Amino acid sequence: VQTHVDILNGKTALARAANPLVLRDELARAVGERFRPVALDFSMMKLYPVAGFVHKVGAREVLVTVYQGAGPAITCFTFLGSEADAPGEAERFYDADMRLNLYSFSRAGVNGVLHREANVICVLVSKMASADLLAMIRGKSAHV
């Protein structure tokens, strides 16, 4: 959550990417191709991947993709992990269509949704309402 706030406040400098596919490839190479950023298409909400970087949290490498545009910015954090990485206070929802557990949490006006696909965790963080973030993840058509 703090990384997202730092991005919004300009405390984290972003190198803008012109091409989202090149951005994904560069981020994957930065972690030795062990995993790739989760590819999400938020263009229906007029939000686009504009920047990305690798953030170290302890010994863990986290791929950070920043989506900006017409609505509230979304930061997507992708890393290797398990559902045990969900914050303790997160509410768990099971989505039968996606066959995934979704975890929703909030801190200081910033909302987050975590889900796991195989051994890759995706956390979306935004000032967007939690229900809207959940809807974006649940919209399988939005997942590339």
Side-chain angles (χ1 to χ4, degrees), residues 112-131:
V113 174
L114 176 148
H115 77 283
R116 178 179 63 95
E117 295 182 27
N119 64 341
V120 176
I121 297 292
C122 170
V123 181
L124 296 182
V125 178
S126 179
K127 288 189 175 184
M128 184 179 293
S130 292

Side-chain angles (χ1 to χ4, degrees), residues 12-58:
T12 300
L14 297 177
R16 300 284 175 172
N19 183 325
L21 297 175
V22 172
L23 174 63
R24 289 188 75 234
D25 289 343
E26 288 174 355
L27 288 172
R29 276 194 301 279
V31 292
E33 301 282 344
R34 290 187 324 273
F35 61 102
R36 300 183 69 73
V38 172
L40 298 165
D41 182 358
F42 298 141
S43 60
M44 296 283 285
M45 301 287 294
K46 296 187 171 127
L47 293 169
Y48 304 94
V50 298
F53 57 94
V54 178
H55 181 62
K56 289 260 189 174
V57 179

Side-chain angles (χ1 to χ4, degrees), residues 38-106:
V38 172
L40 298 165
D41 182 358
F42 298 141
S43 60
M44 296 283 285
M45 301 287 294
K46 296 187 171 127
L47 293 169
Y48 304 94
V50 298
F53 57 94
V54 178
H55 181 62
K56 289 260 189 174
V57 179
R60 182 179 286 178
E61 293 176 309
V62 179
L63 301 179
V64 180
T65 307
V66 179
Y67 292 80
Q68 294 177 335
I74 297 174
T75 304
C76 178
F77 300 90
T78 309
F79 54 93
L80 297 175
S82 70
E83 290 183 26
D85 290 306
E89 75 276 6
E91 289 186 63
R92 187 179 106 185
F93 305 90
Y94 180 73
D95 187 289
D97 292 335
M98 294 178 70
R99 297 184 183 151
L100 293 174
N101 287 321
L102 301 169
Y103 296 84
S104 177
F105 59 94
S106 295

